[in-house]
Amino acid sequence: MTSKNTDPFPIKQIRSDFPILSEKIYGKPLVYLDNGASTQKPIQVIKAISGVYENKYANVHRGVHYLSQVATDEMEAAREKVRGFINARSEREVIFVRGATEGINLVASSWGKANLTAGDEIILSQMEHHSNIVPWQLIANATGAIIKVIPIDDSGELEMDVFRSLLSEKTKMVAITHVSNALGTIVPLKQMIKESHDTGALVLVDGCQAAPHLQVDVQKLDADFYVFSGHKIYGPSGIGILYGKETLLEAMPPYQGGGDMIDTVSFSGSTWADLPFKFEAGTPNIADAIGMGNAIDYISTLGLPAIIEYENALLSYATEKLQAINSLKIVGNATEKAAIISFVMGDIHPHDIGTILDRQGVAVRTGHHCAQPVMERYDVPATARASFALYNTFEEIDSLAVSLAKVQEIFG
Amino acid sequence: MMAGELNDLYQDIILDHSKNPRNSGYLEGATHSARENNPLCGDRVSVYLTVQNAEITDLTFEARGCAISVASASMMGQMMKGKSVAEAQNLFKQFIALINGSDVAEGVELKDLQSLSGVKQFPTRVKCATLSWHALQHALESGGIESKTS
């Protein structure tokens, strides 16, 4: 299954698995460094999805007919792959959602309505993606709960002493990212979860940026909820995962009502299906759930230890290359970082950087990365961000550096 | 060497305006102002005007944005001072046409603004070039006064 760490990383084979990597952009080879926003898909995933529609497709959990059973089995097999990927205790704890955003909204709404009252506190961090801020603001407005924010220090790490001072018996939920999408910072999650639990708070983790880059073990972390998206782990968009501890999910009311999530329905009242189906109202995204399972197979075949080692080498090389550019300043220099580099270049606006890189075939993200509080913290309107994946190469980092030199040439 | 289209976009005159924006700052005694944001990138621009007898007698702006948006605001200010409100609104239409690659009405002199025509080859940057213009348009329409941008 997994390659040994002593084997060289099979980068050539990997690149040939991703058809889009041979595209030309404005006549130049594509250098895709926007993996934090979304990753490209290997042929194994693309074929699996079309394969579902070609010969395995019907609605799930309904029909007595053959294809319905095939589709149901495939989808449940994907759920089992996800369970193994994050080491959940049971597939009852693995809920298919549209993406991490929907997972957070589900918990904020369902758990929040049942458990939050006026004066209760929710702790977030300053490095959260908007998707881990706004759902909590909505439920705070509805319940009278109060949001407290853990600040970031100059290097891009959370101010842990402030976190500790914010924790109290009023804290009901700590919602925190595992890896910052704007800074690359890996958060000391295990410690924060332990301290949160010690004061009686639950913890929801936004694992979007962690799932493709770190080995996630929800039991070891002791996370209460953990969300991530399929499209950031080389799988399709429109599918994602909410992991929740079974006892918590059992106690929560449904988020949406509809088919598939009921046990019995009558006008005198309805009863809910068992987990995980209680939270999967309506026909799910069948093909993409199966495709997400194939993406996990792809990662597992390479082995996360080998991927992590390779991406760390890319990160070190890119950090060194970018730091050598005079006017360039990296935003976010945490000791523990995933392969994400946010940067600014003097007075040159990141949009201009992005446009010039684009014309060299280099795709980076520019803007606030859906993390406006982070931009405010560093007093920049935006940054440029290069985020790496298992198919990126050292040569591509050289191309990035050459293209950045062009930015300097144009802006003098 | 730069690719041709990049050359069109980042002409010297545009880089000059972006590095040394004309009429930048808050305008004391403005009669009209408006602020525009680009929620996609967090860029923002405020435009301040003094309008007397249906004539724009003064115009300044405060911008936080890319080279294209700052240069566009700078050139817009130069162009608009001394114009009647009706002329300004026509220039707005003509400038939008220029940026979108449509025909500019005959007899309309866009002067330095002509240099921004390269933006039409960069559809993702059209919003940058037009942000301050929309702020001007809103200021003229609403006539309200914004507080100073911090």
Side-chain angles (χ1 to χ4, degrees), chain A residues 254-335:
Chain A
Y255 175 53
Q256 293 180 328
D260 234 18
M261 55 73 70
I262 43 85
D263 182 19
T264 60
V265 175
S266 83
F267 285 106
S268 58
S270 301
T271 57
W272 316 136
D274 280 343
L275 290 173
F277 308 111
K278 181 170 86 174
F279 292 106
E280 293 182 357
T283 295
N285 186 349
I286 301 163
D288 292 322
I290 295 167
M292 186 172 184
N294 291 88
I296 288 172
D297 287 342
Y298 190 85
I299 293 172
S300 306
T301 304
L302 288 168
L304 264 166
I307 295 170
I308 292 166
E309 193 184 328
Y310 182 74
E311 288 183 346
N312 281 342
L314 287 177
L315 176 65
S316 310
Y317 184 72
T319 304
E320 200 180 301
K321 274 269 170 186
L322 264 53
Q323 272 171 344
I325 299 170
N326 276 338
S327 62
L328 189 146
K329 190 174 142 257
I330 292 176
V331 179
N333 296 288
T335 321

Side-chain angles (χ1 to χ4, degrees), chain A residues 26 28 349 351-356 359-360 365-368 372 375 379-382 406 409-412, chain B residues 1-3 5-6 9-10 15 18-19 38-43 64-68 121-125 128:
Chain A
Y26 307 112
K28 307 228 168 59
H349 194 279
H351 262 189
D352 297 311
I353 298 173
T355 291
I356 295 167
R359 295 287 155 149
Q360 320 301 315
R365 173 86 185 262
T366 60
H368 53 55
Q372 287 182 359
M375 302 299 116
D379 196 25
V380 290
K406 282 204 164 66
E409 183 190 311
I410 289 172
F411 277 87
Chain B
M1 283 306 290
M2 269 196 261
E5 289 178 349
L6 277 180
L9 185 65
Y10 293 110
L15 293 175
S18 76
K19 286 174 190 164
N38 183 350
L40 287 177
C41 57
D43 287 357
R64 182 156 134 154
C66 62
I68 304 304
Q121 297 168 81
F122 296 80
T124 59
R125 304 302 297 276
C128 309

Side-chain angles (χ1 to χ4, degrees), chain B residues 82-97:
Chain B
K83 293 281 191 294
S84 72
V85 171
E87 283 171 320
Q89 274 161 345
N90 184 45
L91 274 172
F92 170 79
K93 275 189 210 143
Q94 302 310 323
F95 180 71
I96 299 294

Side-chain angles (χ1 to χ4, degrees), chain B:
Chain B
M1 283 306 290
M2 269 196 261
E5 289 178 349
L6 277 180
N7 245 334
D8 291 345
L9 185 65
Y10 293 110
Q11 296 176 35
D12 287 344
I13 184 168
I14 291 174
L15 293 175
D16 178 50
H17 273 277
S18 76
K19 286 174 190 164
N20 312 292
R22 314 334 181 229
N23 308 305
S24 171
Y26 181 68
L27 181 61
E28 291 293 342
T31 56
H32 296 61
S33 72
R35 186 181 307 173
E36 281 288 318
N37 296 304
N38 183 350
L40 287 177
C41 57
D43 287 357
R44 58 173 184 242
V45 61
S46 296
V47 170
Y48 307 97
L49 301 169
T50 310
V51 179
Q52 284 169 337
N53 303 322
E55 185 194 314
I56 298 171
T57 55
D58 207 354
L59 185 156
T60 69
F61 72 95
E62 292 175 306
R64 182 156 134 154
C66 62
I68 304 304
S69 71
V70 174
S72 181
S74 172
M75 292 176 188
M76 178 184 83
Q78 276 190 326
M79 194 73 179
M80 290 298 176
K81 275 197 209 178
K83 293 281 191 294
S84 72
V85 171
E87 283 171 320
Q89 274 161 345
N90 184 45
L91 274 172
F92 170 79
K93 275 189 210 143
Q94 302 310 323
F95 180 71
I96 299 294
L98 176 81
I99 295 300
N100 288 323
S102 314
D103 290 337
V104 174
E106 263 181 60
V108 175
E109 274 288 332
L110 288 172
K111 296 179 187 165
D112 286 4
L113 288 167
Q114 198 69 44
S115 65
L116 284 163
S117 68
V119 172
K120 65 175 178 276
Q121 297 168 81
F122 296 80
T124 59
R125 304 302 297 276
V126 164
K127 249 198 168 142
C128 309
T130 56
L131 197 63
S132 58
W133 290 76
H134 286 292
L136 170 68
Q137 186 73 355
H138 289 162
L140 288 172
E141 279 167 6
S142 68
I145 301 291
E146 292 275 337
S147 56
K148 188 174 176 174
T149 306
S150 55

